[in-house]
Amino acid sequence: MGILDVPALSRAAADARYAPLTVSRSRANAMAWLGDSRVDMMSDNFIASAPTITAFAANGIATWVNFLTYQCLDFDDSLNFGKSGDKIADAAARVPNVIASGAPFCTIVLSTNDLAVTPIATILDQYLNLIILPLQRGGVQPWIYLEYPRIGLSALALGVKNQINYFLRRLGNSQGSVPQAVRAVIIDANGYMENF
């Protein structure tokens, strides 16, 4: 099996691996957000300290997700688990807070700060084992934004970005035996959502 391959699981193994914890989902339509500065910038606290980005925050990713889902999802600052500069390993420390928040969904916007400094095998391992699987085991459905195109990436970072996206798409394709309530949703740069 290659580094970008996602292991196929038998139904019994998948049931055991993704068996959700019993956590109260008291906020049935709540969407938590876990990520780096792209999530942090959506918080009122960030806007207060950097008012020049108010327009971005007001029209940020969370606003569009709410709009495009016909306002079926609820988001407020108590569900913002973003921190500027975070790498995947840093954000992993907040996964228990996401699970404890009671939100049944969590949008993940990560990996930008890992692109040029973290080995690809480490990125993929951390994304799966520190973020995605713990969320699924905690009963939270991960909505994963693929790393979107950016100007100014080195050739190395661009290659790493493409490998991360390829891995996440393969992960999405391997989710067939995962219970629907926690099955990963993959979102590409154009907002196209894939629910496998």
Side-chain angles (χ1 to χ4, degrees), residues 111-124:
S111 76
T112 286
N113 298 317
D114 286 283
L115 290 179
V117 295
T118 307
I120 183 65
T122 302
I123 292 172
L124 302 181

Side-chain angles (χ1 to χ4, degrees), residues 30-96:
M31 172 69 79
W33 290 75
L34 177 67
D36 49 34
S37 60
R38 297 168 291 177
V39 173
D40 191 14
M41 282 191 257
M42 296 185 301
S43 74
D44 292 337
N45 292 334
F46 192 94
I47 294 167
S49 65
T52 56
I53 60 94
T54 301
F56 170 81
N59 297 304
I61 300 169
T63 301
W64 283 106
V65 167
N66 197 14
F67 175 75
L68 295 172
T69 60
Y70 301 101
Q71 300 182 0
C72 290
L73 297 172
D74 175 39
F75 169 75
D76 60 48
D77 267 2
S78 70
L79 297 170
N80 187 325
F81 298 96
K83 185 174 178 195
S84 295
D86 264 8
K87 296 183 188 130
I88 294 168
D90 302 322
R94 292 189 304 284
V95 167

Side-chain angles (χ1 to χ4, degrees), residues 90-101:
D90 302 322
R94 292 189 304 284
V95 167
N97 299 357
V98 171
I99 294 167
S101 75

Side-chain angles (χ1 to χ4, degrees), residues 25 27-35 39 42 65 73-75 79-82 91 94-110 127 131-132 134-136 138-145 181-187 193:
R25 296 287 153 227
R27 302 174 81 174
N29 293 326
M31 172 69 79
W33 290 75
L34 177 67
V39 173
M42 296 185 301
V65 167
L73 297 172
D74 175 39
F75 169 75
L79 297 170
N80 187 325
F81 298 96
R94 292 189 304 284
V95 167
N97 299 357
V98 171
I99 294 167
S101 75
F105 313 106
C106 179
T107 299
I108 304 164
V109 185
L110 279 169
Y127 220 132
I131 305 290
I132 297 168
L135 285 172
Q136 290 178 317
V140 178
Q141 183 180 40
W143 292 27
I144 307 161
Y145 265 83
V182 295
R183 190 173 296 162
V185 175
I186 309 298
I187 306 169
M193 298 172 65

Side-chain angles (χ1 to χ4, degrees), residues 120-180:
I120 183 65
T122 302
I123 292 172
L124 302 181
D125 178 65
Q126 290 176 343
Y127 220 132
L128 181 63
N129 294 306
L130 299 181
I131 305 290
I132 297 168
L133 291 178
L135 285 172
Q136 290 178 317
R137 288 182 188 127
V140 178
Q141 183 180 40
W143 292 27
I144 307 161
Y145 265 83
L146 297 180
E147 192 60 48
Y148 48 79
R150 294 182 33 219
I151 298 172
L153 285 180
S154 68
L156 172 66
L158 181 62
V160 171
K161 175 193 81 75
N162 291 339
Q163 290 179 9
I164 292 168
N165 288 350
Y166 179 74
F167 172 79
L168 291 172
R169 285 189 184 284
R170 296 277 310 263
L171 173 72
N173 284 324
S174 74
Q175 295 275 298
S177 60
V178 175
Q180 180 68 36

